[in-house]
Amino acid sequence: MYKAVRAQLRALVCRARAARGDAGMVTSEYAMGIVAAVAFAVVLHKVVTSGQVSAELQDIVKQALDARM
C-alpha cells in the first residue's frame, strides 16, 4: 500500500510541475500580442494623422456631409 500511495503522490507532483512549467507561456504570448497591437496602432496613428491622409479623410467627410439625399 505504501508503494501505491507513493506512486500516486509522485504522479501528482509530476503533473503539478508540468502544469507550472507552461504557466508563463500564456502570459508571454499575451504580452507579445499586446506589443504587436500597440505597434500597429502607433503606425496607423502616424499614417492617419499625416498631412496628406488627413486632408483626404477631411475631403471624404465633407463630400459625405454635402451629399444630397
Side-chain angles (χ1 to χ4, degrees):
M1 182 167 159
Y2 174 72
K3 289 182 180 182
V5 171
R6 188 171 177 177
Q8 288 179 351
L9 183 60
R10 186 179 310 136
L12 182 63
V13 169
C14 287
R15 280 184 285 189
R17 285 181 182 162
R20 187 177 56 210
D22 289 341
M25 288 182 65
V26 173
T27 303
S28 66
E29 289 170 359
Y30 280 122
M32 291 304 295
I34 290 171
V35 168
V38 169
F40 179 73
V42 168
V43 170
L44 186 61
H45 180 264
K46 290 290 184 183
V47 168
V48 170
T49 56
S50 68
Q52 185 177 2
V53 174
S54 180
E56 291 293 327
L57 289 173
Q58 287 178 359
D59 288 340
I60 291 170
V61 171
K62 285 180 185 177
Q63 288 175 2
L65 292 176
D66 291 339
R68 290 188 148 189
M69 297 251 182

mmCIF file of all heavy atoms in Angstrom, residues 1-53:
data_model
loop_
_atom_site.group_PDB
_atom_site.id
_atom_site.type_symbol
_atom_site.label_atom_id
_atom_site.label_comp_id
_atom_site.label_asym_id
_atom_site.label_seq_id
_atom_site.Cartn_x
_atom_site.Cartn_y
_atom_site.Cartn_z
ATOM 1 N N MET A 1 0.830 -1.182 0.000
ATOM 2 C CA MET A 1 0.000 0.000 0.000
ATOM 3 C C MET A 1 0.878 1.249 0.000
ATOM 4 O O MET A 1 0.549 2.234 -0.649
ATOM 5 C CB MET A 1 -0.917 -0.013 1.222
ATOM 6 C CG MET A 1 -1.827 1.182 1.232
ATOM 7 S SD MET A 1 -3.093 0.932 2.445
ATOM 8 C CE MET A 1 -3.572 2.572 2.715
ATOM 9 N N TYR A 2 1.966 1.222 0.714
ATOM 10 C CA TYR A 2 2.863 2.364 0.783
ATOM 11 C C TYR A 2 3.402 2.714 -0.599
ATOM 12 O O TYR A 2 3.482 3.893 -0.973
ATOM 13 C CB TYR A 2 3.997 2.059 1.757
ATOM 14 C CG TYR A 2 5.060 3.117 1.810
ATOM 15 C CD1 TYR A 2 4.799 4.346 2.424
ATOM 16 C CD2 TYR A 2 6.312 2.916 1.251
ATOM 17 C CE1 TYR A 2 5.769 5.325 2.465
ATOM 18 C CE2 TYR A 2 7.281 3.891 1.282
ATOM 19 C CZ TYR A 2 7.015 5.080 1.900
ATOM 20 O OH TYR A 2 7.964 6.064 1.950
ATOM 21 N N LYS A 3 3.728 1.697 -1.402
ATOM 22 C CA LYS A 3 4.255 1.931 -2.744
ATOM 23 C C LYS A 3 3.193 2.544 -3.649
ATOM 24 O O LYS A 3 3.499 3.397 -4.481
ATOM 25 C CB LYS A 3 4.774 0.632 -3.351
ATOM 26 C CG LYS A 3 6.047 0.133 -2.710
ATOM 27 C CD LYS A 3 6.537 -1.119 -3.367
ATOM 28 C CE LYS A 3 7.806 -1.591 -2.697
ATOM 29 N NZ LYS A 3 8.355 -2.795 -3.337
ATOM 30 N N ALA A 4 1.963 2.123 -3.502
ATOM 31 C CA ALA A 4 0.881 2.661 -4.327
ATOM 32 C C ALA A 4 0.640 4.134 -4.001
ATOM 33 O O ALA A 4 0.466 4.961 -4.903
ATOM 34 C CB ALA A 4 -0.394 1.855 -4.107
ATOM 35 N N VAL A 5 0.645 4.483 -2.738
ATOM 36 C CA VAL A 5 0.454 5.879 -2.330
ATOM 37 C C VAL A 5 1.617 6.726 -2.810
ATOM 38 O O VAL A 5 1.423 7.841 -3.314
ATOM 39 C CB VAL A 5 0.291 5.979 -0.791
ATOM 40 C CG1 VAL A 5 0.303 7.421 -0.341
ATOM 41 C CG2 VAL A 5 -0.981 5.284 -0.340
ATOM 42 N N ARG A 6 2.804 6.197 -2.686
ATOM 43 C CA ARG A 6 3.990 6.926 -3.129
ATOM 44 C C ARG A 6 3.964 7.153 -4.649
ATOM 45 O O ARG A 6 4.311 8.228 -5.134
ATOM 46 C CB ARG A 6 5.246 6.160 -2.724
ATOM 47 C CG ARG A 6 6.502 6.910 -2.960
ATOM 48 C CD ARG A 6 7.678 6.210 -2.355
ATOM 49 N NE ARG A 6 8.891 6.941 -2.682
ATOM 50 C CZ ARG A 6 10.073 6.623 -2.271
ATOM 51 N NH1 ARG A 6 10.237 5.572 -1.506
ATOM 52 N NH2 ARG A 6 11.118 7.335 -2.608
ATOM 53 N N ALA A 7 3.532 6.154 -5.407
ATOM 54 C CA ALA A 7 3.441 6.286 -6.854
ATOM 55 C C ALA A 7 2.399 7.329 -7.246
ATOM 56 O O ALA A 7 2.617 8.143 -8.145
ATOM 57 C CB ALA A 7 3.102 4.938 -7.480
ATOM 58 N N GLN A 8 1.264 7.336 -6.549
ATOM 59 C CA GLN A 8 0.233 8.333 -6.827
ATOM 60 C C GLN A 8 0.726 9.736 -6.481
ATOM 61 O O GLN A 8 0.465 10.696 -7.219
ATOM 62 C CB GLN A 8 -1.043 8.015 -6.045
ATOM 63 C CG GLN A 8 -1.792 6.817 -6.576
ATOM 64 C CD GLN A 8 -3.026 6.515 -5.756
ATOM 65 O OE1 GLN A 8 -3.243 7.091 -4.706
ATOM 66 N NE2 GLN A 8 -3.835 5.581 -6.255
ATOM 67 N N LEU A 9 1.424 9.865 -5.370
ATOM 68 C CA LEU A 9 1.964 11.160 -4.957
ATOM 69 C C LEU A 9 3.002 11.639 -5.974
ATOM 70 O O LEU A 9 3.014 12.817 -6.346
ATOM 71 C CB LEU A 9 2.580 11.068 -3.558
ATOM 72 C CG LEU A 9 3.109 12.357 -2.981
ATOM 73 C CD1 LEU A 9 1.997 13.388 -2.865
ATOM 74 C CD2 LEU A 9 3.730 12.121 -1.624
ATOM 75 N N ARG A 10 3.847 10.737 -6.437
ATOM 76 C CA ARG A 10 4.849 11.097 -7.433
ATOM 77 C C ARG A 10 4.181 11.554 -8.731
ATOM 78 O O ARG A 10 4.594 12.538 -9.350
ATOM 79 C CB ARG A 10 5.770 9.910 -7.705
ATOM 80 C CG ARG A 10 6.935 10.276 -8.627
ATOM 81 C CD ARG A 10 7.879 9.102 -8.877
ATOM 82 N NE ARG A 10 8.290 8.450 -7.657
ATOM 83 C CZ ARG A 10 8.334 7.128 -7.485
ATOM 84 N NH1 ARG A 10 7.989 6.316 -8.465
ATOM 85 N NH2 ARG A 10 8.719 6.603 -6.348
ATOM 86 N N ALA A 11 3.132 10.863 -9.156
ATOM 87 C CA ALA A 11 2.399 11.249 -10.365
ATOM 88 C C ALA A 11 1.750 12.618 -10.192
ATOM 89 O O ALA A 11 1.765 13.448 -11.107
ATOM 90 C CB ALA A 11 1.346 10.200 -10.694
ATOM 91 N N LEU A 12 1.211 12.880 -9.020
ATOM 92 C CA LEU A 12 0.590 14.172 -8.743
ATOM 93 C C LEU A 12 1.624 15.293 -8.778
ATOM 94 O O LEU A 12 1.387 16.355 -9.364
ATOM 95 C CB LEU A 12 -0.105 14.136 -7.382
ATOM 96 C CG LEU A 12 -0.838 15.402 -6.956
ATOM 97 C CD1 LEU A 12 -1.975 15.684 -7.912
ATOM 98 C CD2 LEU A 12 -1.350 15.257 -5.538
ATOM 99 N N VAL A 13 2.782 15.072 -8.218
ATOM 100 C CA VAL A 13 3.849 16.077 -8.218
ATOM 101 C C VAL A 13 4.339 16.323 -9.639
ATOM 102 O O VAL A 13 4.563 17.470 -10.043
ATOM 103 C CB VAL A 13 5.012 15.639 -7.287
ATOM 104 C CG1 VAL A 13 6.227 16.527 -7.485
ATOM 105 C CG2 VAL A 13 4.557 15.676 -5.835
ATOM 106 N N CYS A 14 4.464 15.276 -10.434
ATOM 107 C CA CYS A 14 4.912 15.439 -11.818
ATOM 108 C C CYS A 14 3.907 16.246 -12.626
ATOM 109 O O CYS A 14 4.287 17.115 -13.421
ATOM 110 C CB CYS A 14 5.133 14.074 -12.472
ATOM 111 S SG CYS A 14 6.606 13.231 -11.866
ATOM 112 N N ARG A 15 2.620 15.986 -12.425
ATOM 113 C CA ARG A 15 1.597 16.768 -13.135
ATOM 114 C C ARG A 15 1.619 18.230 -12.711
ATOM 115 O O ARG A 15 1.463 19.129 -13.527
ATOM 116 C CB ARG A 15 0.214 16.175 -12.908
ATOM 117 C CG ARG A 15 -0.052 14.965 -13.791
ATOM 118 C CD ARG A 15 -1.437 14.488 -13.587
ATOM 119 N NE ARG A 15 -1.434 13.807 -12.274
ATOM 120 C CZ ARG A 15 -2.413 13.091 -11.785
ATOM 121 N NH1 ARG A 15 -3.513 12.958 -12.461
ATOM 122 N NH2 ARG A 15 -2.311 12.501 -10.623
ATOM 123 N N ALA A 16 1.825 18.481 -11.422
ATOM 124 C CA ALA A 16 1.882 19.858 -10.933
ATOM 125 C C ALA A 16 3.090 20.592 -11.509
ATOM 126 O O ALA A 16 2.992 21.755 -11.906
ATOM 127 C CB ALA A 16 1.936 19.866 -9.401
ATOM 128 N N ARG A 17 4.219 19.923 -11.577
ATOM 129 C CA ARG A 17 5.414 20.547 -12.160
ATOM 130 C C ARG A 17 5.222 20.828 -13.644
ATOM 131 O O ARG A 17 5.644 21.861 -14.162
ATOM 132 C CB ARG A 17 6.632 19.656 -11.954
ATOM 133 C CG ARG A 17 7.146 19.668 -10.551
ATOM 134 C CD ARG A 17 8.374 18.795 -10.401
ATOM 135 N NE ARG A 17 8.830 18.782 -9.014
ATOM 136 C CZ ARG A 17 9.636 17.884 -8.515
ATOM 137 N NH1 ARG A 17 10.112 16.921 -9.289
ATOM 138 N NH2 ARG A 17 9.997 17.946 -7.254
ATOM 139 N N ALA A 18 4.597 19.907 -14.361
ATOM 140 C CA ALA A 18 4.365 20.102 -15.792
ATOM 141 C C ALA A 18 3.419 21.270 -16.034
ATOM 142 O O ALA A 18 3.640 22.080 -16.941
ATOM 143 C CB ALA A 18 3.808 18.826 -16.406
ATOM 144 N N ALA A 19 2.384 21.380 -15.235
ATOM 145 C CA ALA A 19 1.435 22.483 -15.391
ATOM 146 C C ALA A 19 2.089 23.812 -15.052
ATOM 147 O O ALA A 19 1.855 24.826 -15.697
ATOM 148 C CB ALA A 19 0.214 22.246 -14.502
ATOM 149 N N ARG A 20 2.912 23.829 -14.049
ATOM 150 C CA ARG A 20 3.579 25.057 -13.631
ATOM 151 C C ARG A 20 4.598 25.503 -14.670
ATOM 152 O O ARG A 20 4.806 26.693 -14.878
ATOM 153 C CB ARG A 20 4.262 24.844 -12.283
ATOM 154 C CG ARG A 20 4.826 26.115 -11.695
ATOM 155 C CD ARG A 20 5.425 25.887 -10.331
ATOM 156 N NE ARG A 20 6.433 24.848 -10.397
ATOM 157 C CZ ARG A 20 6.716 24.042 -9.388
ATOM 158 N NH1 ARG A 20 6.082 24.127 -8.259
ATOM 159 N NH2 ARG A 20 7.654 23.126 -9.525
ATOM 160 N N GLY A 21 5.204 24.591 -15.382
ATOM 161 C CA GLY A 21 6.204 24.945 -16.385
ATOM 162 C C GLY A 21 5.627 25.699 -17.571
ATOM 163 O O GLY A 21 6.299 26.518 -18.167
ATOM 164 N N ASP A 22 4.379 25.463 -17.935
ATOM 165 C CA ASP A 22 3.753 26.129 -19.063
ATOM 166 C C ASP A 22 2.964 27.367 -18.664
ATOM 167 O O ASP A 22 2.420 28.050 -19.522
ATOM 168 C CB ASP A 22 2.823 25.167 -19.798
ATOM 169 C CG ASP A 22 3.585 24.106 -20.564
ATOM 170 O OD1 ASP A 22 4.781 24.334 -20.807
ATOM 171 O OD2 ASP A 22 2.986 23.080 -20.910
ATOM 172 N N ALA A 23 2.871 27.651 -17.389
ATOM 173 C CA ALA A 23 2.026 28.756 -16.936
ATOM 174 C C ALA A 23 2.497 30.097 -17.481
ATOM 175 O O ALA A 23 1.690 30.952 -17.810
ATOM 176 C CB ALA A 23 1.990 28.792 -15.410
ATOM 177 N N GLY A 24 3.790 30.324 -17.618
ATOM 178 C CA GLY A 24 4.294 31.602 -18.094
ATOM 179 C C GLY A 24 4.184 31.797 -19.587
ATOM 180 O O GLY A 24 4.217 32.912 -20.072
ATOM 181 N N MET A 25 4.034 30.728 -20.334
ATOM 182 C CA MET A 25 3.974 30.853 -21.788
ATOM 183 C C MET A 25 2.744 31.617 -22.236
ATOM 184 O O MET A 25 2.803 32.429 -23.127
ATOM 185 C CB MET A 25 4.004 29.480 -22.439
ATOM 186 C CG MET A 25 5.353 28.817 -22.351
ATOM 187 S SD MET A 25 5.393 27.229 -23.173
ATOM 188 C CE MET A 25 5.118 27.731 -24.845
ATOM 189 N N VAL A 26 1.617 31.390 -21.597
ATOM 190 C CA VAL A 26 0.398 32.074 -21.990
ATOM 191 C C VAL A 26 0.548 33.575 -21.739
ATOM 192 O O VAL A 26 0.189 34.386 -22.573
ATOM 193 C CB VAL A 26 -0.802 31.489 -21.216
ATOM 194 C CG1 VAL A 26 -2.055 32.290 -21.475
ATOM 195 C CG2 VAL A 26 -1.017 30.036 -21.605
ATOM 196 N N THR A 27 1.112 33.944 -20.616
ATOM 197 C CA THR A 27 1.298 35.352 -20.297
ATOM 198 C C THR A 27 2.240 36.011 -21.292
ATOM 199 O O THR A 27 1.983 37.131 -21.745
ATOM 200 C CB THR A 27 1.864 35.487 -18.864
ATOM 201 O OG1 THR A 27 0.973 34.842 -17.961
ATOM 202 C CG2 THR A 27 2.014 36.933 -18.473
ATOM 203 N N SER A 28 3.307 35.349 -21.657
ATOM 204 C CA SER A 28 4.244 35.942 -22.605
ATOM 205 C C SER A 28 3.613 36.066 -23.992
ATOM 206 O O SER A 28 3.883 37.027 -24.706
ATOM 207 C CB SER A 28 5.530 35.128 -22.675
ATOM 208 O OG SER A 28 5.278 33.849 -23.213
ATOM 209 N N GLU A 29 2.775 35.124 -24.368
ATOM 210 C CA GLU A 29 2.101 35.226 -25.666
ATOM 211 C C GLU A 29 1.142 36.405 -25.678
ATOM 212 O O GLU A 29 1.061 37.138 -26.667
ATOM 213 C CB GLU A 29 1.360 33.935 -25.972
ATOM 214 C CG GLU A 29 2.300 32.780 -26.299
ATOM 215 C CD GLU A 29 1.590 31.443 -26.372
ATOM 216 O OE1 GLU A 29 0.367 31.408 -26.142
ATOM 217 O OE2 GLU A 29 2.263 30.447 -26.655
ATOM 218 N N TYR A 30 0.410 36.607 -24.574
ATOM 219 C CA TYR A 30 -0.463 37.772 -24.494
ATOM 220 C C TYR A 30 0.350 39.056 -24.538
ATOM 221 O O TYR A 30 -0.045 40.020 -25.191
ATOM 222 C CB TYR A 30 -1.297 37.742 -23.207
ATOM 223 C CG TYR A 30 -2.486 36.833 -23.282
ATOM 224 C CD1 TYR A 30 -2.649 35.796 -22.380
ATOM 225 C CD2 TYR A 30 -3.461 37.009 -24.257
ATOM 226 C CE1 TYR A 30 -3.743 34.962 -22.439
ATOM 227 C CE2 TYR A 30 -4.555 36.169 -24.328
ATOM 228 C CZ TYR A 30 -4.692 35.155 -23.413
ATOM 229 O OH TYR A 30 -5.767 34.335 -23.482
ATOM 230 N N ALA A 31 1.475 39.080 -23.858
ATOM 231 C CA ALA A 31 2.312 40.281 -23.843
ATOM 232 C C ALA A 31 2.835 40.599 -25.240
ATOM 233 O O ALA A 31 2.820 41.760 -25.666
ATOM 234 C CB ALA A 31 3.479 40.095 -22.868
ATOM 235 N N MET A 32 3.267 39.593 -25.980
ATOM 236 C CA MET A 32 3.754 39.829 -27.341
ATOM 237 C C MET A 32 2.612 40.291 -28.250
ATOM 238 O O MET A 32 2.799 41.148 -29.111
ATOM 239 C CB MET A 32 4.389 38.558 -27.911
ATOM 240 C CG MET A 32 5.695 38.182 -27.224
ATOM 241 S SD MET A 32 6.926 39.481 -27.266
ATOM 242 C CE MET A 32 7.230 39.596 -28.998
ATOM 243 N N GLY A 33 1.430 39.755 -28.054
ATOM 244 C CA GLY A 33 0.275 40.196 -28.827
ATOM 245 C C GLY A 33 -0.073 41.645 -28.550
ATOM 246 O O GLY A 33 -0.401 42.412 -29.467
ATOM 247 N N ILE A 34 0.009 42.042 -27.289
ATOM 248 C CA ILE A 34 -0.281 43.429 -26.920
ATOM 249 C C ILE A 34 0.771 44.360 -27.503
ATOM 250 O O ILE A 34 0.446 45.432 -28.022
ATOM 251 C CB ILE A 34 -0.374 43.567 -25.385
ATOM 252 C CG1 ILE A 34 -1.640 42.872 -24.890
ATOM 253 C CG2 ILE A 34 -0.358 45.024 -24.965
ATOM 254 C CD1 ILE A 34 -1.731 42.742 -23.391
ATOM 255 N N VAL A 35 2.026 43.964 -27.435
ATOM 256 C CA VAL A 35 3.101 44.792 -28.004
ATOM 257 C C VAL A 35 2.905 44.959 -29.510
ATOM 258 O O VAL A 35 3.040 46.060 -30.047
ATOM 259 C CB VAL A 35 4.486 44.178 -27.686
ATOM 260 C CG1 VAL A 35 5.581 44.834 -28.495
ATOM 261 C CG2 VAL A 35 4.780 44.299 -26.198
ATOM 262 N N ALA A 36 2.545 43.895 -30.188
ATOM 263 C CA ALA A 36 2.321 43.977 -31.634
ATOM 264 C C ALA A 36 1.115 44.860 -31.955
ATOM 265 O O ALA A 36 1.156 45.668 -32.891
ATOM 266 C CB ALA A 36 2.108 42.579 -32.211
ATOM 267 N N ALA A 37 0.049 44.754 -31.160
ATOM 268 C CA ALA A 37 -1.140 45.578 -31.387
ATOM 269 C C ALA A 37 -0.838 47.051 -31.151
ATOM 270 O O ALA A 37 -1.295 47.920 -31.908
ATOM 271 C CB ALA A 37 -2.272 45.111 -30.477
ATOM 272 N N VAL A 38 -0.069 47.349 -30.120
ATOM 273 C CA VAL A 38 0.290 48.748 -29.842
ATOM 274 C C VAL A 38 1.181 49.293 -30.949
ATOM 275 O O VAL A 38 1.008 50.439 -31.391
ATOM 276 C CB VAL A 38 0.969 48.865 -28.457
ATOM 277 C CG1 VAL A 38 1.585 50.232 -28.259
ATOM 278 C CG2 VAL A 38 -0.045 48.579 -27.353
ATOM 279 N N ALA A 39 2.123 48.502 -31.422
ATOM 280 C CA ALA A 39 2.993 48.953 -32.515
ATOM 281 C C ALA A 39 2.169 49.227 -33.776
ATOM 282 O O ALA A 39 2.377 50.243 -34.451
ATOM 283 C CB ALA A 39 4.064 47.906 -32.802
ATOM 284 N N PHE A 40 1.222 48.366 -34.081
ATOM 285 C CA PHE A 40 0.356 48.576 -35.241
ATOM 286 C C PHE A 40 -0.488 49.839 -35.052
ATOM 287 O O PHE A 40 -0.670 50.617 -35.996
ATOM 288 C CB PHE A 40 -0.543 47.357 -35.462
ATOM 289 C CG PHE A 40 -1.464 47.514 -36.629
ATOM 290 C CD1 PHE A 40 -0.975 47.456 -37.925
ATOM 291 C CD2 PHE A 40 -2.815 47.725 -36.436
ATOM 292 C CE1 PHE A 40 -1.824 47.602 -39.017
ATOM 293 C CE2 PHE A 40 -3.671 47.875 -37.515
ATOM 294 C CZ PHE A 40 -3.172 47.814 -38.804
ATOM 295 N N ALA A 41 -0.994 50.059 -33.840
ATOM 296 C CA ALA A 41 -1.796 51.251 -33.562
ATOM 297 C C ALA A 41 -0.974 52.521 -33.728
ATOM 298 O O ALA A 41 -1.468 53.524 -34.248
ATOM 299 C CB ALA A 41 -2.383 51.177 -32.158
ATOM 300 N N VAL A 42 0.274 52.496 -33.299
ATOM 301 C CA VAL A 42 1.148 53.666 -33.443
ATOM 302 C C VAL A 42 1.395 53.967 -34.919
ATOM 303 O O VAL A 42 1.314 55.124 -35.351
ATOM 304 C CB VAL A 42 2.474 53.461 -32.679
ATOM 305 C CG1 VAL A 42 3.500 54.503 -33.050
ATOM 306 C CG2 VAL A 42 2.221 53.467 -31.184
ATOM 307 N N VAL A 43 1.689 52.943 -35.695
ATOM 308 C CA VAL A 43 1.925 53.143 -37.131
ATOM 309 C C VAL A 43 0.657 53.664 -37.798
ATOM 310 O O VAL A 43 0.703 54.608 -38.604
ATOM 311 C CB VAL A 43 2.407 51.830 -37.791
ATOM 312 C CG1 VAL A 43 2.411 51.948 -39.304
ATOM 313 C CG2 VAL A 43 3.786 51.460 -37.279
ATOM 314 N N LEU A 44 -0.481 53.086 -37.475
ATOM 315 C CA LEU A 44 -1.745 53.529 -38.047
ATOM 316 C C LEU A 44 -2.044 54.979 -37.663
ATOM 317 O O LEU A 44 -2.493 55.771 -38.492
ATOM 318 C CB LEU A 44 -2.877 52.612 -37.589
ATOM 319 C CG LEU A 44 -4.243 52.847 -38.198
ATOM 320 C CD1 LEU A 44 -4.175 52.648 -39.714
ATOM 321 C CD2 LEU A 44 -5.267 51.922 -37.588
ATOM 322 N N HIS A 45 -1.764 55.347 -36.420
ATOM 323 C CA HIS A 45 -1.986 56.723 -35.969
ATOM 324 C C HIS A 45 -1.091 57.693 -36.737
ATOM 325 O O HIS A 45 -1.535 58.769 -37.154
ATOM 326 C CB HIS A 45 -1.722 56.832 -34.467
ATOM 327 C CG HIS A 45 -1.934 58.201 -33.929
ATOM 328 N ND1 HIS A 45 -0.904 59.100 -33.769
ATOM 329 C CD2 HIS A 45 -3.059 58.839 -33.536
ATOM 330 C CE1 HIS A 45 -1.391 60.226 -33.287
ATOM 331 N NE2 HIS A 45 -2.693 60.093 -33.130
ATOM 332 N N LYS A 46 0.153 57.318 -36.942
ATOM 333 C CA LYS A 46 1.071 58.182 -37.700
ATOM 334 C C LYS A 46 0.594 58.364 -39.141
ATOM 335 O O LYS A 46 0.675 59.455 -39.693
ATOM 336 C CB LYS A 46 2.497 57.606 -37.695
ATOM 337 C CG LYS A 46 3.185 57.675 -36.367
ATOM 338 C CD LYS A 46 3.522 59.103 -36.033
ATOM 339 C CE LYS A 46 4.315 59.161 -34.742
ATOM 340 N NZ LYS A 46 4.598 60.523 -34.353
ATOM 341 N N VAL A 47 0.112 57.291 -39.746
ATOM 342 C CA VAL A 47 -0.354 57.376 -41.127
ATOM 343 C C VAL A 47 -1.609 58.238 -41.209
ATOM 344 O O VAL A 47 -1.724 59.115 -42.069
ATOM 345 C CB VAL A 47 -0.623 55.964 -41.698
ATOM 346 C CG1 VAL A 47 -1.371 56.036 -43.015
ATOM 347 C CG2 VAL A 47 0.689 55.214 -41.869
ATOM 348 N N VAL A 48 -2.553 58.025 -40.315
ATOM 349 C CA VAL A 48 -3.820 58.748 -40.367
ATOM 350 C C VAL A 48 -3.630 60.227 -40.045
ATOM 351 O O VAL A 48 -4.306 61.080 -40.610
ATOM 352 C CB VAL A 48 -4.853 58.097 -39.427
ATOM 353 C CG1 VAL A 48 -6.093 58.953 -39.277
ATOM 354 C CG2 VAL A 48 -5.229 56.720 -39.953
ATOM 355 N N THR A 49 -2.705 60.560 -39.178
ATOM 356 C CA THR A 49 -2.509 61.963 -38.804
ATOM 357 C C THR A 49 -1.507 62.678 -39.709
ATOM 358 O O THR A 49 -1.242 63.858 -39.503
ATOM 359 C CB THR A 49 -2.036 62.089 -37.340
ATOM 360 O OG1 THR A 49 -0.846 61.328 -37.158
ATOM 361 C CG2 THR A 49 -3.116 61.607 -36.388
ATOM 362 N N SER A 50 -0.973 61.992 -40.709
ATOM 363 C CA SER A 50 -0.076 62.672 -41.643
ATOM 364 C C SER A 50 -0.887 63.672 -42.469
ATOM 365 O O SER A 50 -2.102 63.547 -42.624
ATOM 366 C CB SER A 50 0.635 61.666 -42.548
ATOM 367 O OG SER A 50 -0.282 61.075 -43.424
ATOM 368 N N GLY A 51 -0.224 64.646 -43.031
ATOM 369 C CA GLY A 51 -0.905 65.730 -43.721
ATOM 370 C C GLY A 51 -1.762 65.287 -44.880
ATOM 371 O O GLY A 51 -2.929 65.668 -44.993
ATOM 372 N N GLN A 52 -1.216 64.503 -45.780
ATOM 373 C CA GLN A 52 -1.936 64.100 -46.982
ATOM 374 C C GLN A 52 -3.135 63.221 -46.644
ATOM 375 O O GLN A 52 -4.236 63.421 -47.169
ATOM 376 C CB GLN A 52 -1.004 63.374 -47.942
ATOM 377 C CG GLN A 52 -1.649 63.038 -49.268
ATOM 378 C CD GLN A 52 -0.675 62.373 -50.228
ATOM 379 O OE1 GLN A 52 0.460 62.129 -49.880
ATOM 380 N NE2 GLN A 52 -1.143 62.083 -51.424
ATOM 381 N N VAL A 53 -2.949 62.246 -45.789
ATOM 382 C CA VAL A 53 -4.046 61.341 -45.431
ATOM 383 C C VAL A 53 -5.125 62.100 -44.672
ATOM 384 O O VAL A 53 -6.326 61.901 -44.893
ATOM 385 C CB VAL A 53 -3.523 60.143 -44.609
ATOM 386 C CG1 VAL A 53 -4.658 59.278 -44.116
ATOM 387 C CG2 VAL A 53 -2.550 59.317 -45.431
#
